[in-house]
Amino acid sequence: MPAERPREHAPPVAAARRRRLRADRARQLADLLRHQVLTGGFPGGVLPLEDALGQDYGASRNTVRQALDLLRSERLVERQPGVGTVVVAEKYPHGLDRLMGLAETLHEHGRVTNEVRTVGPVPAPACVADRLGVPARSDVLYVERLRRLGGLPLSLDLTYLPMDIGADLIGADLENTDVFRLIEKITGQPLGTAEITLEAVNADAHSAAVLQAPRGAAVLMLERLTHLCDGRPVDLEFIRFRGDRITMSGQLRRTA
């Protein structure tokens, strides 16, 4: 049987496969470099030369360049003439294995300031009332805050609290104090546990404007329902973090 003649489109397909494989390798390399960028792994914030990176990671120059392009598109690094590729963005670590307010979590990185945009009672939507254990349409305290670190917008926090706690929060110093600390002071109880959900969502027009992020940019949405130590739910939050300024981290243990 005569050998089958190669199809005319085979070379373009092979070229596309090579490009795809190179893009896969570039993405893998970018993941490795991103960790070092975010954890201060490059002395002075300057990355090694492309040839050195290629040798360290066994990658071609094209792969290294594509990986650096990915990090530039994330606004983590940029190319500076006469210097090389430098780290230009800092992401702050937010732990997921301890129940703390933002100011407590990031105290080593500077002072967190709060701009209170809205505070006052609102009728509880059914889903909020159900999760806080209050009657539907009864009043809850709604608080909206823009939170900054080093003057830069970091998160937009939307918070719902039962009114027996929220009434005392209306006149409290919400600009300089974490809500968690105020809840513990008002109730005389420590907080106990929280249920969290973390996902990426596109910033709506309002959130993008407040966070000074591009409209439609991905933000990290943390939904958290916090309970007192006796199990009572007291704080329902929807927190939108700028994804280019925060990383979520934690320590997980495998149990039988």
Side-chain angles (χ1 to χ4, degrees), residues 46-72:
V46 180
L47 278 66
L49 298 177
E50 292 176 358
D51 288 343
L53 288 173
Q55 292 177 1
D56 289 344
Y57 292 94
S60 69
R61 175 171 287 188
N62 283 338
T63 296
V64 170
R65 287 177 175 173
Q66 287 185 9
L68 294 177
D69 284 342
L70 289 173
L71 297 181
R72 277 194 288 270

Side-chain angles (χ1 to χ4, degrees), residues 202-235:
N202 292 331
D204 59 274
H206 169 72
S207 299
V210 173
L211 291 171
Q212 298 177 18
R215 183 173 182 177
V219 296
L220 291 175
M221 165 70 86
L222 176 66
E223 181 179 327
R224 180 170 62 194
L225 178 62
T226 302
H227 305 255
L228 293 174
C229 62
D230 63 6
R232 180 192 174 189
V234 291
D235 182 294

Side-chain angles (χ1 to χ4, degrees), residues 1-56:
M1 180 181 294
E4 183 178 348
R5 295 178 59 186
R7 298 179 181 178
E8 294 183 359
H9 67 275
V13 170
R17 182 177 295 112
R18 287 194 297 271
R19 288 194 297 271
R20 185 176 68 249
L21 291 175
R22 187 164 62 242
D24 290 341
R25 289 192 292 269
R27 185 174 61 252
Q28 293 163 7
L29 177 56
D31 289 342
L32 298 174
L33 294 176
R34 186 184 298 105
H35 175 77
Q36 291 183 272
V37 166
L38 297 177
T39 57
F42 297 114
V46 180
L47 278 66
L49 298 177
E50 292 176 358
D51 288 343
L53 288 173
Q55 292 177 1
D56 289 344

Side-chain angles (χ1 to χ4, degrees), residues 161-162 164-166 168-169 179-192 227-230 232-235:
L161 305 106
D164 62 316
I165 297 173
D168 289 330
L169 284 176
V179 168
F180 279 0
R181 288 189 178 275
L182 294 170
I183 292 174
E184 291 179 325
K185 181 178 179 180
I186 292 168
T187 63
Q189 292 189 55
L191 296 172
H227 305 255
L228 293 174
C229 62
D230 63 6
R232 180 192 174 189
V234 291
D235 182 294

